[in-house]
């Protein structure tokens, strides 16, 4: 634990901006096999109708706040017909998506306690009742529990105090002639980033509410072209640097609550991305002091992976210690190799900025060894693709990461990408996280029109499916996909999905 970094992180603790949101409509979640996830929200009456009704045990209603919000719920309720002679008991169900509202059997692999559901007892109705926990939601179902309660109730007000550390006033307007779909995608991306930006960049405000390095890397670049929340990026870099593992390796994620600590789960790609976040931050701000402070930490990540290169110039443990994507059956070895090359090159650029010659030549040597290893042992000249693992698996992931790593020159990369797009390789990106890398590869190869086409086909499809924020997992061919075996536990406002704003504002405005 490095206290000096942690105390700097705590000095950068952001203030949260608050806004009040009220429900806009009464709705009902009904089963419909043609609707997304099999549940359709039927628009109902004005919320004012609710406020004039007297409700009693057994009554249920659902309200729609009109958009995704993250915050604290307050209820103002008064007893009618009789004094409040007993507690009021409510069941509250919060949903980012319609599929979370109807009762369901949970069959997921993550803790069911992530499901946003409460039973609350209100002893004194005279005061507004604010729930102590924070929720991420658009829909709220309220069920009046109990039996034989002597009084009925009237809801007088329902509101959510939404919180974020993003400052919305700093966002520049897009050009007036921006394509309508891209403008809508930008709006949803910005909301996604805003709702994930809290005391740290959370991966998802519903789940895991944690700072993951892979997510931070993408949030940061999207933030530079929108909110410009540089201090939050800096704070998160200090948090990671302050909580390394004993050998200096950076953790894949940080819990900032309930106690500040790191996760024992090591993912080499995420550790290496510490270099990328610092590299992007330095390019954006020219903050040489921060670079100097965090340089040893960043370099250590490359050094650790360099110790794992075998005699063929290949990264070992590629299958076990890398995340790459939530994609079943994916062989990650070749992606791991490419991620090492990609981040070592960024590390080399940082060493150059610092004039650290010793580390420059160390990195140069490693980049050469890894690049030669990749071309010699992983690239299959006959078929024109990179293969991965003992079974020579072909995947989109391997090609995309090798393009990003710049193993070949630009023209050869563009040809590889075109071959990939026209191929029938079935192992494809399954998350907006991996899709981001595909789009980046298209821009890197100057294939701007294709990039626009795929941004619209992927994030635009979520918009067509009424996404208020972009989702953790999305496969247009399998809308029920969940890495955790439950569509209800998927996160529907997820950090790593917010990068269309980065592409639109960096390359298209
Ligand atoms: C999940 C989250 C998070 C991601 C990790 C690897 O728990 O989706 O965003 O970075 O996996």
């Amino acid at each position: 634990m490095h206290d000096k970094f942690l105390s700097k992180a705590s000095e950068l603790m952001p203030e949260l901006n608050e806004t009040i949101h009220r429900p806009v409509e009464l709705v009902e979640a009904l089963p419909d096999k043609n609707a997304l996830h099999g549940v359709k929200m039927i628009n109902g009456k004005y919320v004012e109708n609710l406020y004039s009704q007297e409700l009693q045990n057994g009554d249920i209603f659902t309200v729609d706040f009109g958009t995704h919000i993250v915050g604290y719920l307050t209820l103002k309720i008064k007893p009618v017909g009789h004094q409040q002679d007993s507690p009021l008991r409510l069941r509250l169900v919060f949903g980012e998506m319609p599929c979370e509202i109807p009762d369901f059997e949970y069959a997921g692999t993550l803790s069911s306690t992530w499901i946003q559901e409460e039973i609350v007892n209100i002893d004194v109705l005279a005061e507004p009742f604010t729930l102590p926990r924070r929720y991420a939601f658009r829909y709220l179902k309220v069920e009046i529990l109990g039996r034989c309660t002597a009084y009925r109730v009237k809801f007088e007000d329902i509101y959510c105090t939404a919180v974020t550390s993003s400052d919305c006033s700093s966002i520049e307007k897009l050009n007036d002639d921006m394509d309508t779909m891209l403008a809508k995608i930008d709006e949803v991306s910005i909301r996604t980033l805003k709702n994930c930006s809290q005391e740290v960049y959370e991966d998802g405000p519903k789940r895991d509410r944690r700072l993951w390095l892979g997510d931070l890397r993408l949030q940061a670049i999207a933030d530079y072209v929108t909110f410009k929340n540089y201090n939050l990026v800096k704070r998160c870099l200090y948090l990671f640097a302050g909580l390394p593992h004993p050998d200096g390796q950076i953790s894949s994620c940080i819990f900032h609550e309930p106690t500040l600590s790191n996760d024992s789960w090591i993912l080499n790609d995420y550790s290496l991305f510490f270099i990328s976040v610092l590299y992007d931050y330095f390019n954006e701000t020219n903050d040489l002091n921060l670079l100097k402070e965090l340089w040893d930490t960043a370099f250590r990540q490359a050094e650790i992976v360099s110790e794992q290169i075998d005699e063929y110039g290949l990264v070992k443990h590629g299958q076990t210690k890398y995340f790459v994507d939530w994609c079943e059956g994916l062989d990650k070895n070749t992606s791991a190799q490419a991620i090492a090359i990609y981040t070592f090159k960024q590390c080399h650029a940082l060493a150059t900025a610092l004039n650290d010659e010793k580390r420059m030549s160390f990195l140069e040597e490693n980049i050469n060894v890894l690049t030669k290893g990749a071309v010699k042992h992983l690239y299959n000249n006959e078929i024109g693709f990179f293969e991965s693992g003992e079974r020579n698996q072909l995947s989109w992931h391997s090609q995309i990461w090798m393009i990003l790593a710049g193993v070949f020159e630009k023209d050869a990369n563009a040809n590889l990408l075109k071959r990939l797009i026209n191929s029938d390789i079935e192992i494809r990106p399954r998350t907006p996280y991996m899709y981001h890398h595909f789009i980046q590869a298209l821009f890197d190869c100057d294939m701007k029109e294709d990039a626009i086409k795929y941004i619209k086909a992927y994030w635009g499809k979520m918009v067509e499916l009424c996404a208020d924020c972009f989702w953790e997992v999305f496969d247009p061919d399998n809308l029920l996909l969940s890495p955790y075996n439950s569509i209800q536990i998927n996160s529907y406002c997820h950090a790593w999905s917010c990068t269309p704003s980065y592409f639109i504002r960096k390359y298209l405005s």
Side-chain angles (χ1 to χ4, degrees), residues 9-10 12-14 199-200 231-239:
S10 87
L12 291 167
M13 174 70 92
E199 289 183 353
V200 295
N231 276 346
L232 192 60
V233 180
K234 200 168 166 179
R235 169 170 151 77
C236 294
L237 277 167
Y238 279 132
L239 284 174

Side-chain angles (χ1 to χ4, degrees), residues 371-409:
T371 308
K372 280 192 190 139
V375 177
K376 189 163 176 204
H377 300 292
L378 305 177
Y379 189 67
N380 183 332
N381 248 315
E382 279 167 33
I383 55 171
F385 286 120
F386 285 92
E387 298 172 331
S388 190
E390 286 171 5
R391 295 174 169 205
N392 303 331
Q393 184 189 75
L394 294 180
S395 69
W396 282 57
H397 305 70
S398 299
Q399 321 311 318
I400 290 167
W401 267 114
M402 281 295 173
I403 291 165
L404 296 178
V407 167
F408 295 137
E409 298 295 319

Side-chain angles (χ1 to χ4, degrees), residues 203 207-208 212 214-215 265 267 270 323 326 472 484 494 496:
D203 59 336
R207 204 219 83 239
D208 311 318
W212 288 89
D215 301 67
W265 193 15
L267 293 169
Y270 276 28
F323 169 64
W326 285 126
E472 175 183 20
Y484 324 107
H494 211 72
W496 67 23

Side-chain angles (χ1 to χ4, degrees), residues 167-322:
D167 172 9
C168 300
S169 63
S170 46
I171 296 200
E172 277 172 36
K173 253 187 92 219
L174 286 180
N175 301 343
D176 287 341
D177 58 355
M178 177 58 73
D179 174 284
T180 334
M181 179 49 104
L182 290 178
K184 182 72 194 158
I185 292 174
D186 179 62
E187 181 197 315
V188 176
S189 302
I190 289 174
R191 187 175 306 113
T192 307
L193 177 59
K194 180 183 90 182
N195 288 356
C196 292
S197 301
Q198 301 293 336
E199 289 183 353
V200 295
Y201 285 107
E202 297 181 9
D203 59 336
K206 178 178 91 174
R207 204 219 83 239
D208 311 318
R209 301 172 66 151
R210 225 174 283 166
L211 172 61
W212 288 89
L213 236 170
D215 301 67
L216 167 63
R217 166 170 161 261
L218 301 191
Q219 281 165 306
I221 55 171
D223 213 323
Y224 300 150
V225 294
T226 53
F227 302 108
K228 303 188 193 306
N229 203 347
Y230 299 116
N231 276 346
L232 192 60
V233 180
K234 200 168 166 179
R235 169 170 151 77
C236 294
L237 277 167
Y238 279 132
L239 284 174
F240 278 111
L243 292 163
H245 289 287
D247 64 349
Q249 185 155 19
I250 293 298
S251 182
S252 55
C253 88
I254 300 285
F255 295 82
H256 75 294
E257 282 172 338
T259 2
L260 190 60
S261 58
N262 65 17
D263 194 341
S264 56
W265 193 15
I266 302 232
L267 293 169
N268 282 349
D269 43 352
Y270 276 28
S271 310
L272 287 170
F273 289 146
F274 184 87
I275 299 168
S276 309
V277 182
L278 188 59
Y279 171 87
D280 292 331
Y281 185 85
F282 179 67
N283 282 339
E284 182 64 27
T285 62
N286 263 318
D287 185 344
L288 197 61
N289 288 335
L290 187 76
L291 175 56
K292 283 183 185 158
E293 269 185 277
L294 300 183
W295 173 228
D296 286 345
T297 308
F299 178 74
R300 181 71 190 128
Q301 310 316 306
E303 199 175 44
I304 288 171
V305 170
S306 75
E307 286 157 12
Q308 300 167 3
I309 302 174
D310 70 12
E311 66 270 34
Y312 304 106
L314 299 179
V315 163
K316 287 186 288 191
H317 315 305
Q319 193 54 21
T320 50
K321 282 201 167 172
Y322 287 77

Side-chain angles (χ1 to χ4, degrees), residues 12 20 26 61 127 129 188 228 265 334 369 371 387 412 467 498:
L12 291 167
I20 301 291
L26 278 162
F61 65 88
E127 298 290 319
F129 180 79
V188 176
K228 303 188 193 306
W265 193 15
T334 294
V369 169
T371 308
E387 298 172 331
C498 73

